[in-house]
Amino acid sequence: MNDTASSRWFGPAQLTALGFIALILTGTALLSMPFASADGAPTALMSALFTATSATTLTGLVTEDTGSHWSLAGQLIVLALIQAGGLGIMSITSLTGMLLTGRVKLRSRYATAAEGRPILEGGVRRTLVATLLLTFFFEGVVAVILGIRFGTVYGMAPGRAAYEGVFHAISGFNNAGFGLRPDSLVSYNTDGWILIPLAGALMIGGLGYPVLSELVRRGRERARGLVHGAPVSSRRLSITTRMTLKATTFLVVSATLIIALLEWRGFLAGMTTSAKCLNAFFSGVTPRTAGFNSVDYAEAHPITLMVTDIYMFIGGGSAGTAGGIKITTATVLLAAMLAEFKGRDATTVGHRTVPKSVVRQAMTVAAAGLVAVTAGVATLRICDPQFTADQVNFEVISAFATTGLSTGITADLSAPSQLALCLLMYLGRIGPFTLVAALALRTVSRRFDYPTERPFIG
């Protein structure tokens, strides 16, 4: 098959979807090996597949305790899958090609964009390098803080403290939520030096690379202006950055207040006032696809679970490590609804008109997400009827949004239910839009239009 035929059948969207499948299968094979488990016995294929899928998709749901079941080699495999999943298959491929050949092929522009990572000013090379530098910088800062805390307060040996710091930092920035304790971070729920740096990593990683890059560039301009008196750009932040920052602030603050209100005498009971505020804040951050938990969600009020479901489904920023339908999608849908209620033809956000094609994309992503979640809930309710609707809804939305929070039923689910969650995690990571593009191998152009007829709506 020639290159033209190959590119027609395997475009960037298809390669992205296939790349994640290849990474998951590779991880499954490695994790099923005897050397990957702490007891030296081969891990069951279903457990290895579930763990590899959860790590690659940055979810954090587990059927085996990460710290006790996997050997050091197994934990490093999980960590590598998290880092690869966070950077993205096509970005890693492009970076490898750049390092080996010293240049970036034109096709890498489309490959990088297929993962939702828009090309920054300066081209593909700058985009890839910025992605790598931002990732390692924030992971490094959090790893140092956590490593020092683990060593000085919890008495870990220097090597162990450094390892735990790096593991949790990578897991946190990539919004993966894998921890080395059976209770995730419940053991540290009174330690602000553990929870606050991780919450910061979760929020920063969840903003998305385009937003981070724009903020870093603006910060550098202001720094040059202060030091050298250079003029500072008067351009406003992009609409994507403004939407992401404002919506993130609103979602974190509102989630914190709601959880504090609902759980002050619930799973927060027994803590000091400062610890209650700390855990309400951390629990307001984690539904944004983080996966870590400092409280036991099995004890949560049903309304808390429902509210968390909504925040998980919305997710974080675009083109980053967060999941869900994304903040920008939810914001555009809300703006379109308001425009319709006011009788306006145009959808506007922040004094900018949103193209109708973008509104359609947002509707498509949200609708595809609802269909996937509904199908997942139906599957689990059929295969595992012993669990309540609240538990099932929470588990399914957590999987689709690649959040990783759970009420504790993951390991007790049947194999068909776990396979369904694997599919949801995969779909949530590559995105419904990318999956649709991957399945549409050929676009058939139509040379005619049908007559227009307006149906009744509502």
Side-chain angles (χ1 to χ4, degrees):
M1 182 179 292
N2 57 37
D3 292 339
T4 303
S6 177
S7 62
R8 183 175 69 245
W9 287 102
F10 294 101
Q14 289 85 6
L15 291 175
T16 299
L18 292 174
F20 273 99
I21 290 177
L23 185 58
I24 289 171
L25 294 179
T26 301
T28 301
L30 292 174
L31 290 175
S32 62
M33 297 293 182
F35 68 82
S37 65
D39 60 4
T43 298
L45 185 61
M46 187 67 242
S47 294
L49 173 63
F50 194 93
T51 302
T53 304
S54 183
T56 303
T57 59
L58 313 177
T59 303
L61 291 174
V62 294
T63 57
E64 304 288 352
D65 176 52
T66 307
S68 61
H69 177 82
W70 304 110
S71 64
L72 177 59
Q75 292 173 16
L76 291 176
I77 292 170
V78 170
L79 205 60
L81 293 174
I82 291 172
Q83 191 72 86
L87 290 173
I89 299 299
M90 304 308 290
S91 296
I92 290 175
T93 302
S94 300
L95 277 167
T96 303
M98 185 178 70
L99 293 173
L100 293 177
T101 66
R103 61 189 179 88
V104 182
K105 295 181 179 180
L106 178 62
R107 191 174 181 182
S108 295
R109 173 181 294 273
Y110 305 103
T112 304
E115 291 179 328
R117 190 162 293 143
I119 305 303
L120 305 176
E121 295 180 8
V124 180
R125 179 188 295 270
R126 182 173 178 180
T127 301
L128 297 174
V129 172
T131 298
L132 206 63
L133 291 178
L134 285 172
T135 298
F136 291 161
F137 173 76
F138 287 113
E139 288 176 351
V141 170
V142 176
V144 169
I145 296 173
L146 296 182
I148 293 174
R149 191 67 175 175
F150 285 135
T152 58
V153 176
Y154 297 96
M156 296 183 186
R160 182 66 192 181
Y163 171 70
E164 294 235 4
V166 170
F167 189 99
H168 286 90
I170 292 176
S171 182
F173 180 78
N174 287 288
N175 280 235
F178 276 81
L180 296 174
R181 303 286 178 276
D183 60 2
S184 188
L185 297 177
V186 175
S187 302
Y188 308 112
N189 63 8
T190 59
D191 193 339
W193 285 97
I194 298 293
L195 297 188
I196 291 178
L198 281 175
L202 298 173
M203 288 190 290
I204 293 172
L207 289 176
Y209 291 104
V211 173
L212 289 177
S213 178
E214 186 173 356
L215 293 176
V216 169
R217 185 172 65 252
R218 183 61 60 90
R220 290 172 58 187
E221 290 178 356
R222 292 189 180 279
R224 283 199 301 267
L226 292 174
V227 176
H228 303 291
V232 179
S233 174
S234 60
R235 287 188 307 171
R236 299 180 66 186
L237 293 172
S238 68
I239 188 62
T240 297
T241 297
R242 282 183 282 149
M243 278 196 297
T244 302
L245 292 178
K246 290 180 179 180
T248 295
T249 302
F250 171 77
L251 290 173
V252 170
V253 172
S254 61
T256 300
L257 294 176
I258 291 172
I259 290 174
L261 179 65
L262 292 173
E263 299 295 345
W264 198 262
R265 298 183 182 277
F267 58 52
L268 297 176
M271 299 181 184
T272 63
T273 300
S274 60
K276 287 181 177 180
C277 294
L278 173 63
N279 284 273
F281 167 70
F282 193 79
S283 299
V285 172
T286 51
R288 312 286 317 297
T289 79
F292 288 121
N293 62 282
S294 61
V295 294
D296 186 1
Y297 276 91
E299 301 176 359
H301 190 281
I303 301 301
T304 301
L305 295 179
M306 184 186 72
V307 171
T308 305
D309 287 341
I310 296 171
Y311 283 86
M312 289 193 296
F313 188 75
I314 294 173
S318 299
T321 58
I325 63 171
K326 303 297 190 296
I327 288 175
T328 47
T329 302
T331 304
V332 167
L333 288 176
L334 179 60
M337 290 173 59
L338 292 176
E340 191 65 28
F341 291 151
K342 295 178 180 179
R344 297 175 180 172
D345 182 60
T347 298
T348 58
V349 177
H351 304 291
R352 294 290 186 271
T353 299
V354 179
K356 292 183 178 180
S357 60
V358 174
V359 176
R360 289 198 303 270
Q361 288 178 358
M363 293 173 61
T364 301
V365 169
L370 287 173
V371 170
V373 167
T374 301
V377 169
T379 301
L380 265 66
R381 294 288 284 171
I382 292 172
C383 297
D384 291 280
Q386 70 272 25
F387 297 115
T388 67
D390 287 335
Q391 291 174 312
V392 169
N393 294 343
F394 196 84
E395 197 82 7
V396 167
I397 295 176
S398 178
F400 170 76
T402 67
T403 303
L405 295 177
S406 175
T407 56
I409 68 173
T410 311
D412 298 324
L413 292 171
S414 62
S417 292
Q418 291 181 359
L419 285 173
L421 292 183
C422 286
L423 180 60
L424 285 168
M425 290 188 286
Y426 171 73
L427 174 60
R429 180 65 186 102
I430 67 170
F433 203 78
T434 298
L435 181 63
V436 171
L439 295 176
L441 296 178
R442 289 186 297 177
T443 301
V444 180
S445 59
R446 195 173 62 191
R447 300 178 180 273
F448 62 90
D449 290 319
Y450 290 111
T452 301
E453 183 174 352
R454 181 186 178 90
F456 289 105
I457 300 296

